[in-house]
């Protein structure tokens, strides 16, 4: 079904088509120099020494855990309110996700509960900079120093956000972005891991290249470890590279749209806005509000051609995370509220003020 006012629209201009066509004409379709350029553009934008492209955020998360040596017997703490891929990646490498609640206002992992959930087996935390709201690294770095854990950040939605002036992707041991079409920079499907650690960068690259590397003792290609194929083709990288040329323009546009929504929604009794992390700058990958009767309101908006959407999922309520091999907390009030009340509003390139006003007017009418 197509909506008159969609949730998001991929940014595909002539420059994107030009770069994709150049790749098609070159005949070099697999991962190659354009992927390298895309990686370099993300690394330099984020301000980190290494960026390694993947087929998705999910395969990037899995590989990040693998190269950090996390597997069977290890625990990784994740938030309950997130896309299932976060905890799914932990299970795929054989480790145990420990699922804790989120703060009901920021929708980010509850740092106090995170600390309480720490055990002898905790190797890493995988916090999520959800919807583009940056994590509080004052809190996370304190915990990292206190417990010696790794921070592997699921930043699927957070390209362009920052905390205390430093971009998401330059804080954590490894940070993983998504380029799924819901994201404002999209390659159709795709992901990227950033890390300041050279050894992990080499291992990430090696794993997604079938375990291929080089060895001083032998000539040519050598398969040093077991790996797989999670490469990003030149074709998809061309899409991302062309959009990265104007990443700041695209981001500023989203921030202007967000400001406009915030003004239109100011002082609403029945429509509340999640909080942005203090000292953080939101990328507004998703513009979320809290409303009672979310499902009814979402349905009514959709019937009027407005593609409103739920925020994301509450993992402990999903069958996949209810059996063995998961450690759950006793209660999840923050996540349950988020799951029941979060509604994401349309926000896309070249959305007009009139369209935003229409969304807000119809939303207000639905909540009354
Ligand atoms: C928080 C989070 N993590 C992971 C993913 C999965 O990303 P991908 O589709 O690139 O694998 C998503 C998808 O939107 C997400 O929102």
């Amino acid at each position: 079904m197509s909506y008159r006012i969609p949730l998001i629209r991929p940014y595909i201009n002539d420059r994107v088509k030009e770069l994709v066509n150049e790749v098609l004409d070159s005949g070099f379709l697999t991962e190659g120099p354009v992927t390298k350029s895309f990686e370099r553009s993300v690394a330099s934008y984020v301000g980190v020494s290494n960026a390694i492209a993947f087929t998705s955020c999910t395969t990037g998360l899995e590989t990040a855990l693998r190269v950090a040596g996390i597997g069977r017997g290890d625990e990784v703490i994740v938030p309950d309110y997130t896309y299932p891929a976060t905890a799914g990646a932990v299970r795929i490498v054989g480790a145990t996700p420990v699922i804790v609640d989120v703060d009901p206002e920021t929708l980010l992992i509850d740092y106090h509960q995170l600390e309480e959930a720490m055990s002898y087996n905790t190797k890493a935390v995988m916090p999520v900079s959800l919807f583009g709201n940056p994590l509080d690294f004052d809190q996370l770095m304190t915990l990292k120093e206190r417990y010696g854990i790794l921070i592997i950040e699921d930043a699927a939605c957070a390209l362009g956000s920052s905390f205390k002036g430093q971009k998401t992707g330059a804080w954590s041991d490894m940070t993983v972005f998504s380029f799924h079409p819901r994201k404002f920079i999209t390659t159709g499907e795709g992901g990227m891991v950033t890390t300041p650690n050279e050894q992990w960068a080499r291992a990430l690259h090696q794993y997604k290249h079938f375990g291929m590397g080089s060895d001083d003792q032998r000539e040519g290609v050598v398969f040093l470890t077991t790996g797989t194929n999670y490469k990003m083709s030149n074709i998809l990288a061309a899409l991302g590279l062309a959009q990265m040329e104007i990443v700041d323009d695209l981001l500023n546009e989203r921030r202007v749209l967000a400001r406009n929504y915030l003004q239109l929604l100011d002082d609403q009794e029945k429509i509340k806005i999640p909080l942005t992390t203090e000292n953080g700058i939101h990328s507004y990958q998703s513009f979320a509000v809290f409303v009672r009767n979310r499902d009814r309101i979402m349905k009514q908006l959709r019937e009027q051609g407005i593609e409103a959407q739920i925020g994301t999922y509450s993992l402990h309520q999903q069958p996949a995370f209810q059996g063995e091999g998961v450690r759950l907390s006793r209660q999840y009030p923050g996540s349950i509220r988020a799951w029941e009340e979060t509604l994401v509003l349309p926000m896309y390139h070249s959305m007009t003020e009139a369209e935003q006003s229409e969304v807000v007017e119809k939303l207000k009418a639905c909540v009354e």
Side-chain angles (χ1 to χ4, degrees):
M1 162 146 189
S2 77
Y3 292 90
R4 198 164 42 76
I5 300 187
L7 190 63
I8 191 144
R9 224 173 238 156
Y11 177 78
I12 307 294
N13 68 349
D14 287 347
R15 177 66 178 149
V16 176
K17 290 177 188 166
E18 183 191 7
L19 282 194
V20 171
N21 272 329
E22 275 178 22
V23 172
L24 296 178
D25 289 342
S26 77
F28 195 159
L29 305 189
T30 183
E31 180 166 310
V34 186
T35 318
K36 274 272 154 278
S37 298
F38 181 39
E39 290 176 338
R40 275 196 294 269
S41 75
V42 172
S44 107
Y45 177 71
V46 161
V48 68
S49 46
N50 303 284
I52 298 94
F54 278 82
T55 49
S56 68
C57 175
T58 307
T59 54
L61 288 170
E62 175 201 326
T63 311
L65 289 162
R66 285 193 194 284
V67 305
I70 291 167
R72 202 157 298 284
D74 297 332
E75 291 184 346
V76 179
I77 304 175
V78 302
D80 190 59
Y81 190 60
T82 183
Y83 199 67
T86 316
V90 175
R91 292 186 95 179
I92 283 169
V93 301
T96 301
V98 177
I99 302 178
V100 303
D101 202 8
V102 295
D103 179 287
E105 298 304 331
T106 63
L107 304 181
L108 304 179
I109 197 160
D110 180 316
Y111 304 106
H112 180 66
Q113 295 208 19
L114 195 166
E115 183 164 17
E116 276 190 355
M118 216 70 85
S119 82
Y120 179 75
N121 294 323
T122 307
K123 289 286 158 29
V125 297
M126 191 178 271
V128 181
S129 26
L130 197 74
F131 302 154
N133 192 11
L135 295 159
D136 183 335
F137 280 94
D138 284 345
Q139 303 266 5
L140 287 170
M141 288 305 177
T142 304
L143 294 177
K144 182 174 169 62
E145 276 161 30
R146 196 171 291 157
Y147 297 98
I149 39 144
L150 295 174
I151 303 174
I152 300 177
E153 178 176 351
D154 180 343
C157 308
L159 186 71
S161 66
S162 58
F163 177 73
K164 289 194 164 173
Q166 184 166 306
K167 290 216 172 71
T168 296
W171 280 101
S172 297
D173 292 299
M174 286 183 262
T175 307
V176 192
F177 297 102
S178 171
F179 300 112
H180 177 272
R182 271 283 304 269
K183 317 303 178 235
F184 77 96
I185 301 276
T186 181
T187 56
E189 295 287 353
M192 187 87 72
V193 184
T194 60
T195 179
N197 183 310
E198 303 297 327
Q199 198 183 328
W200 284 334
R202 273 195 300 280
L204 287 158
H205 188 264
Q206 189 170 303
Y207 186 76
K208 69 156 181 171
H209 281 263
F210 314 101
M212 224 182 252
S214 58
D215 180 342
D216 292 346
Q217 312 299 314
R218 297 166 65 146
E219 286 212 356
V221 166
V222 187
F223 292 89
L224 297 168
T225 50
T226 302
T228 186
N229 179 357
Y230 287 159
K231 290 176 287 173
M232 176 187 278
S233 91
N234 268 340
I235 308 171
L236 299 188
L239 278 151
L241 184 61
Q243 292 164 65
M244 282 304 291
E245 288 176 359
I246 53 157
V247 60
D248 276 328
D249 296 339
L250 293 173
L251 253 174
N252 285 337
E253 186 185 32
R254 295 192 79 74
R255 291 192 173 125
V256 169
L257 292 167
R259 235 183 348 258
N260 199 29
Y261 265 142
L262 290 172
Q263 274 168 9
L264 292 166
L265 290 164
D266 197 25
D267 277 344
Q268 287 300 304
E269 265 293 293
K270 297 182 178 171
I271 308 169
K272 298 289 178 210
I273 311 284
L275 292 183
T276 297
T277 297
E278 215 181 314
N279 296 316
I281 300 183
H282 209 299
S283 69
Y284 289 108
Q285 174 53 58
S286 291
F287 187 89
V289 297
F290 298 125
V291 284
R292 292 270 164 83
N293 302 310
R294 190 268 321 272
D295 289 344
R296 171 185 60 75
I297 292 167
M298 185 169 79
K299 184 161 173 280
Q300 287 176 336
L301 287 172
R302 287 178 165 212
E303 282 164 0
Q304 298 175 85
I306 296 171
E307 190 185 11
Q309 179 62 284
I310 66 160
T312 191
Y313 296 86
S314 166
L315 298 188
H316 80 280
Q317 299 188 55
Q318 298 297 323
F321 302 105
Q322 289 169 341
E324 286 191 1
V326 179
R327 186 149 70 81
L328 296 178
S329 301
R330 275 189 304 279
Q331 287 180 330
Y332 295 94
S335 179
I336 290 170
R337 188 248 182 147
W339 163 244
E340 288 175 354
E341 297 187 4
T342 305
L343 184 71
V344 174
L345 303 183
M347 192 191 265
Y348 47 86
H349 172 65
S350 74
M351 185 176 196
T352 63
E353 282 187 24
E355 287 169 325
Q356 284 194 283
S357 298
E358 183 187 338
V359 171
V360 171
E361 285 317 310
K362 297 225 156 93
L363 174 62
K364 283 181 186 169
C366 290
V367 295
E368 282 313 320

